[in-house]
């Protein structure tokens, strides 16, 4: 959940709650903002965690149900009910067939082929709008859940003959490094979905003529166990339609789906701010997506 309401109906976004936390202001009592729900929820601030023997990692802030609380039926955060209605909507049996064990299977090969065909033909509309629309519903639902468990229990991912784990398909910001590594190690073009928070848009200089605009997401910052070295994982989407990319405002949360590419890794060094004997090295790994169809970017509400 990205937002909640106070008991008097004031809307609180996750960023505002984090600011309140950082400036040591009291946090309001929070309720689910979906109409007619009002389930009791709580804000958990972003923090840093060091696993035993591991490298410190940043855990993003989130809003989740309070213990014992439940969303009302029909609430947009009622993930099991939403999943049920997507699966029973009678979608394309070639794309999302029901299996004998009661689960469903999502066939990524169809999506992969669709994306490749679209790119090769320079098409702007997919031949199967419905597949991408269903996928968009599933991905927004997954983005609302804290982990893969709900979807994985009901929905198996398959690429050709291979079963694909949800963790190899769907990546939140704290796993951009995994996505980057997956791209480097995979010989097939596995479609992947990344969730991000829009941080900026970069358009070509005025007068430079047509060109690609980039939508950049907040990167993953990864502390490493090497002294004075920092790793960044940057995620961006490139497209010629600047107005379309700008329709996803800064601060909004989006899911980006498609055939990702690794960009060129860059390394910069600068002197340590207080210790002249030390040098800070930053390594930036890049993940880039050039969507073929506009259905590949989904704003999470
Ligand atoms: Zn609710």
């Amino acid at each position: 959940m990205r937002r909640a309401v106070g008991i008097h109906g004031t809307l609180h976004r996750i960023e505002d709650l984090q600011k309140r936390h950082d400036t040591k202001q009291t946090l309001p009592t929070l309720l689910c903002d979906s109409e007619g729900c009002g389930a009791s929820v709580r804000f958990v601030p972003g923090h840093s965690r060091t696993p035993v023997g591991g490298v410190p990692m940043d855990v993003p802030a989130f809003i989740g149900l309070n213990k014992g609380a439940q969303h009302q039926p029909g609430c947009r955060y009622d993930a099991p009910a939403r999943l049920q209605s997507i699966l029973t909507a009678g979608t394309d049996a070639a794309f999302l067939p029901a299996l004998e064990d009661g689960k469903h299977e999502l066939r990524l090969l169809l999506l992969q082929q669709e994306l490749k065909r679209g790119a090769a033909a320079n098409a702007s509309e997919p031949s199967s709008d419905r597949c991408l629309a269903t996928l968009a519903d599933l991905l927004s639902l997954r983005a609302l859940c804290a982990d893969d468990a709900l979807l994985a229990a009901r929905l198996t991912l398959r690429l050709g003959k291979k079963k694909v784990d949800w963790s190899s398909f769907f990546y939140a910001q704290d796993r951009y490094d995994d996505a980057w590594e997956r791209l480097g190690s995979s010989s097939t073009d596995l479609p992947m979905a990344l969730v991000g928070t829009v941080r900026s848009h970069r358009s070509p200089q005025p007068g430079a003529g047509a060109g690609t605009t980039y939508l950049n997401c907040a990167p993953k910052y990864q502390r490493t166990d090497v002294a004075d070295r920092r790793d960044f994982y940057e995620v961006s989407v490139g497209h010629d339609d600047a107005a379309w990319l700008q329709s996803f405002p800064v601060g909004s949360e989006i899911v980006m789906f498609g055939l990702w590419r690794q960009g060129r890794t860059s390394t910069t060094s600068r002197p340590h701010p207080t210790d002249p004997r030390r040098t800070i090295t930053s390594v930036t790994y890049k993940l880039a997506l050039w969507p073929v169809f506009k259905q590949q970017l989904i704003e999470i509400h």
Side-chain angles (χ1 to χ4, degrees), residues 43-273:
F43 167 72
V44 177
H47 57 280
S48 180
R49 190 180 70 197
T50 309
V52 179
V55 175
M57 57 188 277
D58 292 324
V59 180
F62 70 93
I63 298 171
L65 280 174
N66 258 322
K67 210 171 172 188
Q70 263 191 340
H71 293 290
Q72 291 294 314
C75 166
R76 64 197 179 89
Y77 301 106
D78 182 0
R82 269 180 64 175
L83 178 58
Q84 183 63 24
S85 78
I86 298 170
L87 294 179
T88 53
T91 46
D92 192 341
F95 171 59
L96 192 66
L99 304 179
E100 280 176 2
D101 61 3
K103 286 177 85 168
H104 279 70
E105 187 170 85
L106 193 129
R107 300 206 165 144
L108 296 172
L109 194 60
L110 280 178
L111 290 167
Q112 187 202 58
Q113 288 167 345
E114 181 78 1
L115 295 173
K116 286 187 169 178
R117 204 167 27 232
N122 210 4
S124 59
E125 288 300 323
S127 57
S128 174
D129 227 352
R130 201 153 168 207
C131 288
L132 284 172
T134 303
L135 180 74
D137 286 346
L138 289 168
L139 292 175
S140 1
L141 180 59
R142 169 59 190 83
L144 286 179
C145 302
D147 55 39
D148 295 326
L150 173 74
L151 270 82
R154 301 286 310 275
L155 197 54
T156 301
L157 302 174
R158 182 174 296 281
L159 182 71
K161 290 194 170 128
K162 249 174 68 185
K163 251 172 105 167
V164 177
D165 283 341
W166 271 88
S167 63
S168 302
F169 174 66
F170 189 93
Y171 298 85
Q173 185 190 354
D174 60 337
R175 293 185 58 240
Y176 285 170
D177 50 334
D178 292 342
W180 191 87
E181 261 156 44
R182 169 90 204 183
L183 277 179
S185 66
S186 169
S187 53
T188 56
D189 270 330
L190 176 69
M192 301 194 315
L194 272 62
V195 184
T197 306
V198 179
R199 189 170 73 157
S200 63
H201 303 86
R202 207 181 69 228
S203 288
Q205 292 292 317
T212 304
T213 291
Y214 290 94
L215 173 155
N216 303 307
C217 291
K220 177 182 182 185
Y221 163 48
Q222 172 90 55
R223 273 166 274 193
T224 71
D225 45 10
V226 179
D228 295 335
R229 177 179 149 157
R230 293 154 188 195
D231 286 355
F232 292 88
Y233 291 84
E234 285 187 353
V235 164
S236 51
V237 179
H239 203 276
D240 290 346
D241 188 343
W244 174 56
L245 289 181
Q246 279 155 2
S247 72
F248 300 95
V250 169
S252 60
E253 193 184 27
I254 56 173
V255 181
M256 301 153 277
F257 161 77
L259 303 173
W260 287 83
R261 297 279 174 267
Q262 281 183 346
R264 196 179 303 153
T265 302
S266 63
T267 304
T268 54
S269 297
R270 58 185 172 83
H272 190 277

